Amino acid sequence: MGSATENGTLRYYFDHESESESDGGRSVGHSGPLGGPLASKKAGKKRSARFKGDDNYVEITLDVRDDAIAIQSIQSGDPEAALLARNLERRSPMLGASLSSKLKQVGHEFRRMTSFSTRAERLHRTKSTAAQAIKGLQFVTKNVASEGWPQVERRFDELAVDGVLLRSRFGKCIGMVGSEEFAGEVFDALARRRGITAAVLTKEELREFWEQLSDQSFDARLQTFFDMVDKNADGRITEEEVREIIALSASANKLSRIQERVDEYTALIMEELDPNNLGYIELYNLEMLLLQPAVQPSAMLYANSNNLSQMLSQKLVPTKDKNPVRRYCRRISYFMEDNWKRVWVMALWLSICAGLFTWKFIAYRRRAVFHIMGYCVTTAKGGAETLKFNMALILLPVCRNTITWLRSKTKLGVIIPFNDNINFHKVIAAGIVVGVALHVGAHLTCDFPRLLHATDAEYEPMKPFFGEKRPPNYWWFVKGTEGWTGVVMLVLMVIAYVLAQPWFRRNRLSPTNPLRRLTGFNAFWYSHHLFVIVYVLYVVHGVCLYLIRKWYKKTTWMYLAIPVTLYACERLLRAFRSGYKTVRIQKVAVYPGNVLALRMSKPQGFKYRSGQYIFLNCAAVSPFEWHPFSITSAPGDDYLSIHIRTRGDWTSRLRAIFSQVCQPAKSDQSGLLRADVMPGGSNPRLPKLLIDGPYGAPAQDYEHYDVLLLIGLGIGATPLISIVKDVLNNVEQKKTTAAAAAADAESATKAKKKPFMAQRAYFYWVTREEGSFEWFRGIMNEVAEKDKDGVIELHNHCTSVYEEGDARSALIVMLQALHHAKNGVDIVSGTRVKTHFARPNWRNVFKRIAINHPNQRVGVFYCGDPMVIGELRRLSQDFSHKTSTKFVFHKENF
């Protein structure tokens, strides 16, 4: 470095690559601010120095007058140094006690800036870093940007008042919907730069605003963001302004946790970007932060990702076959490959129904009654025969203990889709509706009128069945045992069927609908138990038949005997088992999002698999109601836990009862309210709980796959959390077994059991509320701490935050990266697992797994809102057909 003075002007040269000062012909190691010999030179003397590179210098011209120093100009051959120098040039003149101290301040300031320059040499604007930074400052979403100015102009014409656009409508006009406060700050920033003081815009001014917001250059977006934070337009962002923008970003993204700790996060940003405690940060500080390349963990990377991703993308491009026959055959082939279990079961059921209908149809076609009633009686009797079969069969899919035993202890699951038991129950119910329609419709509209209007000669063969005297009217049929039992059954079955529909069972009717009070789960539950009366009447109805007198031809009871006996034994087993399976509550926690967590003692001999569920009864709420809940503890745990989301009357009352005995959580505890039961201590009096189970569920099949893709939406993560814990326990157990095998091979061989197939698990949890992450915070931290080999990959997604790349979440992303790098804790979830924003790109998720696990079977297990089921099932099919990885989709039934 060197300096020269000329007419009161001190010209200062700085070699920002050199780590030494030049004073004449000698070198002095630089170890602090500029000073020493340069400060002692008298005015009028000139001094200069040469440097190693022709362009590697910065020339600073200072205007020294009396007791003040001002920067007159700065020149540099290095663009990065020039960028830093321009920021220094914008600073106000420095004041001090002496010229030496002033020069020291200048040197110290420039040295501080060149420390950033050193970083900038590593983080220069390559295409990748600039592109990544641009993605982080999107003021206009892709959809709105694609519309362009014409759509914005159209909205202006709709929203303008007297030819001007109000500030309050600016966000809606540019497409920044749902963030009115944030849009207002953007408006103010753009207005300040243009000197606009009014809270309205003309169309021309809006056009200028739009052009800047939609500008694709990094500098323009960075300047807009900086102006939004820098409210007094002095080129500096103070600590208070940082605090305001953090609070604003947290509010726009509905992150109350960050709003509560805004002072702590403000200090973190200032510590990172203002290491010299100047009290402010500048534009280049933000730029350096944004230009830092994104660091991804090794587990997130593909092997040969570029080539494989390109090949896979090309392979998955849908190509439409011009041959319609080939296209149709391929579609049928794919469908059969994915649904062959369902197809053969449905084909068998339909064949049996068709066979029974045909058999009875032909049988009555040959009887004398056919000559009076014609094909009406054959249709009625054919429908009645299918009705007997379906009334017996419909009980089997709801024999939970039997199905759980079959799927757990036998190999029938290979050919029978036990996961679809409830769906098959609904299909059979539809078959019963068809049978009832054929039987009742044919009798009421055809058989009875024909019999009433038959001639004496035609009625003669019917006397053994209907009596010597012809029935006088309709009432004769209704008041008989056959008639009134049929009518009552019909009414009860209609009530049960209607209240079982989703609109009624899930209480989806509008609040003003008068039928709303008659709907809900309770109405569905109690109406379904009317089947006891229906089956009693059905047996009576089947015994008292008009046209059959011999007992062995009255086959209704024969159809029902085995299924009804099996179902009755199931109910007796449940009643007996739940009677002695009283559990002792160990811990209660009430979490944000209306979630109640119960930790209970495990009953002696209670064995279950991850993914299964239990029925819970609380007599304090209702002595008769039992509700199913997924088990969230792992089989290896010495306790039993469930998480209950408050949605209906029963769960609301259960939460209210337990909330009364809970206390506010301490600072080191999770949840809003807690009650921990200590042995021998003074504990609150908790309600008594009964459990029944466990019962099988689709998620328990995770043991059959090499790789697991677990996807949970909201409270749907409950069965998957148990799987994650079980995988972790098996990983640790495998290490222990390997150590034991090395120590004692013989004993390890004796203790050998069926190997655990799952070698890798990907868990995606998507929720819209940040408070939801408290539900399983302990489990997340446990997995992150114990899973040293990266067997389990955890991904949390918070959909209330705008997607990564949106300017409304830009500061949250920066803050998240800083806090996680420093403390190892995510600011959104409060766990060691870093939270992603917005919903995952499921196609990219499947693509990455297909690349990382070729020629392997991946079990896809989903639990949550039905709206994602179609997309996940379609992706599973696409990647299974077009890659070597086989994805098998399972969904949980709520």
Side-chain angles (χ1 to χ4, degrees), residues 66 297 653:
D66 297 330
R653 292 198 301 270

Side-chain angles (χ1 to χ4, degrees), residues 1-2 12-22 28-35 38 51 60 84 88 91 94 103-119 275-276 284:
M1 68 183 65
Y12 200 87
Y13 304 94
F14 183 84
D15 179 1
H16 63 86
E17 282 191 352
S18 174
E19 290 298 328
S20 63
E21 296 180 10
S22 284
V28 181
H30 179 80
S31 60
L34 300 177
L38 294 173
F51 306 102
I60 307 175
L84 301 174
L88 178 63
R91 297 177 183 269
M94 293 178 253
L103 289 176
K104 285 182 180 180
Q105 293 177 43
V106 174
H108 177 75
E109 182 69 18
F110 198 78
R111 274 291 177 191
R112 184 182 69 81
M113 291 170 58
T114 53
S115 67
F116 286 99
S117 179
T118 304
R119 292 171 59 189
N276 294 295
Y284 71 92

Side-chain angles (χ1 to χ4, degrees), residues 90 150 273 278 360 460 476 504 599 632 649 755 792 800 819:
R90 287 198 298 267
L273 300 184
L278 298 176
K360 275 297 178 180
E460 188 66 27
W476 186 92
F504 294 92
R599 178 170 171 173
T632 53
D649 298 338
I792 304 172
S800 70
H819 193 271

Side-chain angles (χ1 to χ4, degrees), residues 524-538:
F524 157 76
W525 179 258
Y526 290 117
S527 65
H528 248 57
H529 280 73
L530 295 174
F531 80 92
V532 177
I533 302 175
V534 170
Y535 274 93
V536 171
L537 295 176
Y538 193 53

Side-chain angles (χ1 to χ4, degrees), residues 98-159:
S98 65
L99 179 61
S100 176
S101 63
K102 298 182 183 78
L103 289 176
K104 285 182 180 180
Q105 293 177 43
V106 174
H108 177 75
E109 182 69 18
F110 198 78
R111 274 291 177 191
R112 184 182 69 81
M113 291 170 58
T114 53
S115 67
F116 286 99
S117 179
T118 304
R119 292 171 59 189
E121 291 173 6
R122 299 191 302 268
L123 304 174
H124 61 281
R125 293 188 189 181
T126 62
K127 291 184 178 179
S128 60
T129 56
Q132 184 69 24
I134 288 175
K135 290 180 180 179
L137 284 175
Q138 296 280 354
F139 285 91
V140 181
T141 62
K142 295 179 180 178
N143 294 335
V144 177
S146 62
E147 294 176 354
W149 166 249
Q151 292 298 326
V152 177
E153 185 178 22
R154 181 182 59 80
R155 286 194 288 267
F156 175 88
D157 295 334
E158 295 174 356
L159 300 173

